Amino acid sequence: MGGGAANASNRTDTVATVYRFSDCRDSGRIATVPARGGTWNGVPTLTVAQGVRFG
């Protein structure tokens, strides 16, 4: 059964990178979300994220 996120808000003090795959491989990078309130919205393009990496 699939899951994932269609949007994200980064409330940390570190940049977050959102990935299409749970193993966070570079070929699946979707977006970089700035620290302290940055957001990402995949809804307009129906993009679903399965992983996130901070730093």
Side-chain angles (χ1 to χ4, degrees):
M1 183 170 183
N7 56 61
S9 178
N10 183 2
R11 296 181 182 160
T12 71
D13 62 356
T14 305
V15 172
T17 305
V18 179
Y19 294 89
R20 189 175 315 276
F21 309 108
S22 61
D23 63 1
C24 298
R25 61 184 123 152
D26 282 339
S27 64
R29 185 180 353 208
I30 297 171
T32 301
V33 184
R36 298 180 184 91
T39 60
W40 163 74
N41 187 357
V43 174
T45 59
L46 301 177
T47 303
V48 176
Q50 299 290 330
V52 63
R53 181 180 292 161
F54 293 91

